[in-house]
Amino acid sequence: EAQVTQNPRYLITVTGKKLTVTCSQNMNHEYMSWYRQDPGLGLRQIYYSMNVEVTDKGDVPEGYKVSRKEKRNFPLILESPSPNQTSLYFCASGVVPLHFGNGTRLTVT
Amino acid sequence: ELKVEQNPLFLSMQEGKNYTIYCNYSTTSDRLYWYRQDPGKSLESLFVLLSNGAVKQEGRLMASLDTKARLSTLHITAAVHDLSATYFCAVGGTNFGNEKLTFGTGTRLTIIP
């Protein structure tokens, strides 16, 4: 089954404690991206990757890092999380249309 | 900067009625998507509209695209409770290589029996 798998689904952490949200897809897509969803703002792109070792910033990249060492994986790294990064995060892959993962609800206290 | 506006933001309608959700966008694009999101769930692709005048239908939902007016509509016919969800339109990226989607803020649809 074609899937975009994110982990964890829920994460509560404290300010400054580094965390990684993993994302894996089994559709051999070259393109992957990360979005955050906030009430009243819709979804906004954080980072995207066109292929292995090729990443670039989206609209709201501050405070985030990504890496793309393998085609199937695209982890999102928060090296020093802050409360304003409390949000619902979605990984996506493919192009037309984008396929979204199930989301990771992150709370930073 | 591309902006995408949806209206209404909230829609409460009775079963059996018809209604339309509107999506306006500010910059030329020929890729328009509609997604559905149930509470606590991911986004499910409903329609992909790739050209001016494109019309697609699935069950009680029909989407259309007018690229000249920069307008897409999602029409709901004879609504049923199962259609209760949040609907997003999204416009495809204009930057080569980055299929960034710019989303509207969503329309929360509630169907009342």
Side-chain angles (χ1 to χ4, degrees), chain A residues 84-97:
Chain A
N84 65 11
Q85 292 178 298
T86 292
S87 187
L88 179 58
Y89 292 86
F90 287 100
C91 179
S93 77
V95 177
V96 183

Side-chain angles (χ1 to χ4, degrees), chain A residues 51-107:
Chain A
N51 213 327
V52 175
E53 303 291 2
V54 180
T55 65
D56 207 346
K57 297 176 181 179
D59 291 328
V60 288
E62 292 75 22
Y64 304 95
K65 284 177 57 176
V66 293
S67 70
R68 188 91 182 272
K69 292 183 170 40
E70 306 165 277
K71 199 172 191 179
R72 62 182 291 126
N73 295 324
F74 190 43
L76 179 69
I77 303 155
L78 285 72
E79 297 221 323
S80 184
S82 63
N84 65 11
Q85 292 178 298
T86 292
S87 187
L88 179 58
Y89 292 86
F90 287 100
C91 179
S93 77
V95 177
V96 183
L98 271 183
H99 299 267
F100 285 85
N102 285 330
T104 295
R105 187 166 292 280
L106 172 65
T107 302

Side-chain angles (χ1 to χ4, degrees), chain A residues 9 31 35 37 40-43 45 48 50 57-59 88 90 95-102, chain B residues 31 33 35 37 40-45 48 50 88 96-106:
Chain A
R9 292 293 309 278
Y31 182 89
Y35 287 79
Q37 183 178 20
L41 296 176
L43 285 85
Q45 191 187 55
Y48 69 96
M50 292 168 58
K57 297 176 181 179
D59 291 328
L88 179 58
F90 287 100
V95 177
V96 183
L98 271 183
H99 299 267
F100 285 85
N102 285 330
Chain B
R31 297 193 293 288
Y33 306 82
Y35 284 88
Q37 186 180 37
K41 303 289 188 183
S42 185
L43 286 88
E44 173 192 357
S45 176
V48 180
L50 298 177
F88 291 93
F96 177 74
N98 177 17
E99 184 57 11
K100 181 180 77 172
L101 297 187
T102 301
F103 282 82
T105 51

